[in-house]
Amino acid sequence: MNCTKCKTKAVIKIPRHHAAFCKVSFTNFVHDQVTRAIKSEKMFGRGDRILVAVSGGKDSLALWDILLKLGYKADGFYVNLGIGGYSERSYSMVRKFAEAVAPLGPALHTHTVEQEEGAGIKELAHMVHRPTCSTCGTIKRYQFNRAAVERDYDVMATGHNLDDEAARLLGNVLHWQEDYLEKQGPTLPASVEGFAKKVRPLYRLSERELAAYCVLNKIEYIIDECPMAQGARTLLYKEVLNRLETESPGTKQYFYWGFLEKQRRKQSSSDAMSEKDQTLLRRCGTCGQPTTSEVCSYCKLMARARREVAG
Ligand code: SF4
Ligand code: ZN
């Protein structure tokens, strides 16, 4: 098997593109896919300051690496969830990467849930009688947005890949979550003041391709999934999509990119959403961040946790 580009020995096959690449051509292919994503979805420009949400996993560290290599100004933001050995290992991966790139300028910001919210994510979820992942989602969304806005970043980038987006789309379609479908895209505009622009520059790359990128470019990452992810619906959707992909390479790409194409044709979704958000969103009465109700879900969650502690 030879590289489609340079005809030397290939190290990876990409069936959905009918291609095979050597290390250099594969790295160029990955960079090219991210460049295309940034341009076609109007994510950010050369002068923008980007805050990358890093978890220690392959996707977010690959994203940080790719953006830096493409010459963008990107810093990292890590939320330490306080999930025992998992959080310790993931934080050490993030720190290792951050220390290696620090001489080039990028900074790493950290938010520690145990310190700021008063308890680790599992304890917090237990206190508010909510599933761990939904509590985690509320806190991460809130803190990501806050970090980007307060630290004056132009955009917040996350490492969601093609597999994540296709699985999420499948879940939204299966349950006809129309509101979520409307908002599912690689770029969420900064529709109102206090609401950071959010982008997903890896939506053109699969999980397997990002793992290969890390291995070939010697980026160390935490291989284990978060222990709380066990049994999550998304994992089942990913499994189903992987079976379809094996039978028919390109399925995930046709499914998700096809959806984006339809969305684009239907309307300029970001403009429509921006207008819709402006009418729906107001300032949280407690913290001032944008929300659709009087008090945002983070402040409600924290108030409930405080009530539990007070007894
Ligand atoms: Fe948070 Fe759940 Fe994801 Fe773990 S699996 S990082 S608890 S959302
Ligand atoms: Zn609030």
Side-chain angles (χ1 to χ4, degrees):
M1 186 175 66
N2 284 339
C3 172
T4 315
K5 290 276 176 200
C6 69
K7 311 295 172 215
T8 56
K9 194 170 181 300
V11 292
I12 183 166
K13 213 171 152 187
I14 314 284
R16 69 192 174 95
H17 284 290
H18 309 290
F21 295 120
C22 67
K23 182 186 160 187
V24 173
S25 299
F26 176 68
T27 300
N28 290 339
F29 160 80
V30 168
H31 289 185
D32 183 50
Q33 291 299 317
V34 174
T35 301
R36 288 169 74 166
I38 294 167
K39 295 223 163 101
S40 68
E41 297 294 329
K42 300 183 180 67
M43 293 184 175
F44 41 77
R46 286 276 156 210
D48 287 335
R49 291 179 71 232
I50 306 155
L51 189 61
V52 183
V54 281
S55 67
K58 62 186 183 321
D59 306 308
S60 55
L61 290 182
L63 174 60
W64 199 4
D65 180 82
I66 297 163
L67 294 181
L68 293 175
K69 285 189 177 144
L70 289 175
Y72 289 101
K73 284 181 248 165
D75 290 341
F77 181 67
Y78 174 76
V79 174
N80 190 329
L81 299 168
I83 307 180
Y86 169 76
S87 288
E88 277 162 31
R89 287 194 299 282
S90 63
Y91 191 28
S92 92
M93 295 297 174
V94 171
R95 274 204 319 261
K96 208 167 181 179
F97 184 91
E99 277 159 20
V101 295
L104 308 171
L108 171 69
H109 308 289
T110 304
H111 176 94
T112 305
V113 174
E114 265 168 357
Q115 273 168 23
E116 310 285 333
E117 276 81 16
I121 204 73
K122 281 199 278 185
E123 294 79 9
L124 212 56
H126 185 71
M127 277 153 80
V128 298
H129 309 290
R130 269 180 50 188
T132 311
C133 291
S134 109
T135 308
C136 176
T138 301
I139 288 180
K140 282 200 295 198
R141 268 192 305 278
Y142 182 87
Q143 297 298 355
F144 284 165
N145 187 65
R146 185 170 162 188
V149 171
E150 288 186 356
R151 294 172 195 269
D152 248 346
Y153 284 92
D154 296 290
V155 59
M156 173 100 221
T158 52
H160 295 89
N161 57 42
L162 177 60
D163 295 60
D164 297 324
E165 293 303 293
R168 187 163 153 231
L169 178 60
L170 182 60
N172 286 340
V173 169
L174 288 175
H175 298 99
W176 288 119
Q177 304 265 30
E178 292 193 23
D179 272 8
Y180 291 160
L181 279 169
E182 205 179 306
K183 288 202 179 222
Q184 187 176 355
T187 298
L188 253 185
S191 46
V192 290
E193 209 197 314
F195 195 61
K197 180 174 182 178
K198 308 202 174 56
V199 296
R200 301 179 168 191
L202 300 183
Y203 79 90
R204 299 178 66 93
L205 292 159
S206 73
E207 243 169 52
R208 176 179 162 265
E209 289 153 13
L210 289 158
Y213 179 86
C214 286
V215 172
L216 292 172
N217 287 280
K218 300 193 168 42
I219 300 168
E220 265 191 85
Y221 63 90
I222 180 160
I223 296 169
D224 356 328
E225 289 270 359
C226 169
M228 299 297 121
Q230 298 291 331
R233 269 289 134 139
T234 325
L235 295 184
L236 175 63
Y237 298 150
K238 280 188 179 176
E239 241 178 80
V240 171
L241 287 164
N242 279 340
R243 281 194 55 193
L244 291 168
E245 185 76 24
T246 310
E247 290 295 322
S248 170
T251 301
K252 286 180 216 171
Q253 170 181 321
Y254 289 129
F255 182 48
Y256 184 59
W257 297 7
F259 163 75
L260 293 181
E261 197 46 53
K262 274 187 189 306
Q263 238 187 4
R264 245 177 250 127
R265 262 186 266 141
K266 210 168 92 189
Q267 53 185 204
S268 162
S269 61
S270 56
D271 291 353
M273 257 186 39
S274 171
E275 276 168 31
K276 199 173 166 193
D277 279 355
Q278 274 162 14
T279 54
L280 289 177
L281 292 172
R282 53 165 115 166
R283 286 191 169 277
C284 165
T286 307
C287 73
Q289 275 212 34
T291 173
T292 48
S293 40
E294 250 169 61
V295 174
C296 76
S297 44
Y298 173 84
C299 287
K300 277 186 205 152
L301 189 141
M302 291 313 297
R304 198 164 169 188
R306 278 192 291 270
R307 278 201 302 275
E308 271 312 296
V309 172

